[in-house]
């Protein structure tokens, strides 16, 4: 993707308070990268290299990758993993898959194996403890997959254990309100890709207008149908939110679809736990 359609990389820094955070983990730093879509079109090697350098410069204790490594053909993952091998992390690199990563029957297996072979652990309805036994990292199956069932994993955790949940699609936050979640990290939306100064992302007001359009007319607008079908909760499109029960951070991602990004730059997120 041409840099004029993408915009310069932005490094976002946030602090997140965690109840019952073990004293040894205060100041723990994570970096989040999301939505690579590394297929030779939607993410340039230059921008990818900048993102990896930015993550490494933060000297993270943990790196998390929140899905959509590819766009269509799963073999594209083999072009991405040599780059991901350059990521540095004290306690490892963990990932969840996005909707594009299981688009075809063979996609999930190919993408998961390629990442695992690179030393990146893919969590699919699984729990890991890279920071120690008193802090859980939960990775959910993609929200659009038939295997999305948070109860399979969340019920395994004692309520006293703080945890971060990785879930590609922020819509999943609505299904997670019944459990303790100290922070949910998602991507998927690309930040809406188009925002205006003083107004913010245009996706939410446009989605409200789109809902009022008659179905007969919507059928004549396949691109708009695809765009607004991406998520239901456009109010959770980029940045840090307080849902009814837990904080949610939505990363704007690195890859870009046409017509491009406007005041919505790709990002690497640096998260400090306090």
């Amino acid at each position: 993707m041409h840099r004029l359609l993408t915009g310069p990389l932005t490094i976002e820094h946030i602090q997140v308070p965690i109840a019952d955070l073990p004293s040894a983990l205060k100041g723990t730093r994570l970096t989040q990268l999301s939505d690579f879509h590394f297929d030779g079109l939607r993410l340039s090697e230059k921008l990818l290299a900048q993102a990896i350098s930015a993550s490494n410069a933060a000297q993270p204790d943990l790196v998390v990758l929140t899905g959509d490594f590819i766009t269509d053909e799963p073999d594209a993952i083999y072009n991405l993993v040599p780059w991901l091998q350059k990521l540095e992390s004290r306690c490892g690199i963990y990932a969840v898959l996005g909707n594009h990563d299981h688009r075809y029957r063979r996609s999930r297996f190919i993408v998961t194996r390629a990442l695992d072979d690179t030393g990146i652990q893919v969590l699919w309805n699984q729990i890991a403890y890279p920071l120690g036994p008193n802090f859980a990292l939960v990775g959910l199956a993609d929200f659009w997959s038939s295997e999305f069932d948070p109860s399979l994993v969340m019920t395994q955790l004692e309520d006293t254990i703080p945890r971060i949940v990785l879930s590609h699609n922020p819509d999943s936050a609505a299904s997670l309100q019944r459990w303790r979640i100290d922070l949910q990290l998602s991507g998927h939306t690309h930040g809406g890709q188009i925002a205006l100064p003083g107004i913010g992302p245009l996706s939410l007001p446009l989605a409200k207008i789109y809902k009022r359009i008659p179905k007969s007319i919507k059928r004549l607008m396949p691109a708009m149908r695809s765009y607004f079908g991406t998520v239901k909760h456009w109010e959770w499109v980029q940045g840090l939110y307080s849902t009814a029960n837990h904080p949610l951070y939505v990363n704007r991602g690195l890859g870009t679809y046409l017509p491009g990004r406007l005041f919505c730059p790709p990002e690497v997120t640096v998260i400090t736990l306090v």
Side-chain angles (χ1 to χ4, degrees):
M1 181 66 66
H2 192 278
R3 62 184 178 85
L4 292 178
L5 298 178
T6 297
L9 180 70
T10 298
I11 316 302
E12 303 290 353
H13 294 263
I14 63 170
Q15 287 190 346
V16 179
I18 305 289
D20 308 314
L21 183 68
S23 57
L25 297 182
K26 292 179 180 178
T28 294
R29 187 179 298 117
L30 294 75
T31 58
Q32 178 193 9
L33 293 81
S34 194
D35 296 86
F36 298 85
H37 293 283
F38 193 65
D39 58 5
L41 175 64
R42 294 171 177 86
L43 173 62
S44 69
E45 291 185 354
K46 181 178 180 180
L47 179 57
L48 178 57
Q50 291 174 345
I52 292 170
S53 294
S55 178
N56 291 345
Q59 298 182 318
D61 299 292
L62 193 65
V63 173
V64 295
L65 312 175
T66 46
D68 275 0
F69 298 91
I70 60 172
T71 303
D72 294 310
E73 287 301 320
D75 287 345
I77 190 65
Y78 296 117
N79 297 321
L80 177 59
V81 289
W83 290 92
L84 298 181
Q85 285 179 322
K86 301 176 184 180
L87 285 167
E88 300 171 0
S89 171
R90 185 176 66 86
C91 297
I93 305 171
Y94 291 79
V96 290
L97 302 186
N99 52 294
H100 284 270
D101 301 320
H102 63 91
R103 182 172 186 174
Y104 303 118
R105 180 173 297 181
R106 68 188 190 282
S107 297
R108 175 184 161 193
F109 172 77
I110 292 174
V111 173
T112 299
R113 184 177 63 179
L115 292 173
D116 283 343
D117 289 347
T118 308
I120 298 171
Q121 185 171 343
V122 177
L123 301 177
W124 182 272
N125 288 334
Q126 292 170 286
I127 305 170
Y129 296 88
L131 299 175
N134 297 317
F135 194 96
L137 182 68
V138 179
L140 298 180
D142 181 60
F143 184 64
W144 285 356
S145 80
S146 61
E147 297 181 34
F148 177 80
D149 185 355
S151 63
L152 294 175
V153 258
M154 302 307 295
T155 54
Q156 298 179 38
L157 291 169
E158 296 290 337
D159 197 52
T160 55
I161 297 179
R163 74 290 306 265
I164 290 176
V165 171
L166 309 180
S167 183
H168 174 71
N169 191 326
D171 276 351
S172 61
S175 304
L176 295 170
Q177 299 300 306
R178 54 191 283 203
W179 294 285
R180 171 181 176 171
I181 295 175
D182 296 275
L183 176 63
Q184 176 180 338
L185 298 176
S186 298
H188 183 62
T189 66
H190 297 200
Q193 287 205 174
I194 298 175
L196 293 179
I199 298 177
L202 292 181
S203 50
L204 180 57
L206 290 178
K208 292 179 179 178
I209 295 172
Y210 180 75
K211 287 182 179 180
R212 299 191 184 103
I213 298 175
K215 291 183 178 180
S216 58
I217 298 178
K218 287 180 180 178
R219 295 191 188 99
L220 304 177
M221 307 164 66
M224 297 294 283
R225 289 175 63 191
S226 176
Y227 178 82
F228 289 112
T230 302
V231 290
K232 177 181 178 181
H233 292 276
W234 280 108
E235 67 271 24
W236 301 330
V237 69
Q238 60 169 279
L240 185 62
Y241 300 93
S242 294
T243 69
N245 193 48
H246 66 265
L248 162 69
Y249 189 84
V250 183
N251 182 293
R252 293 189 301 270
L254 295 172
T256 299
Y257 274 81
L258 290 173
R261 294 176 180 264
L262 180 64
F263 300 112
C264 183
E267 77 166 278
V268 170
T269 316
V270 180
I271 304 157
T272 303
L273 307 184
V274 297

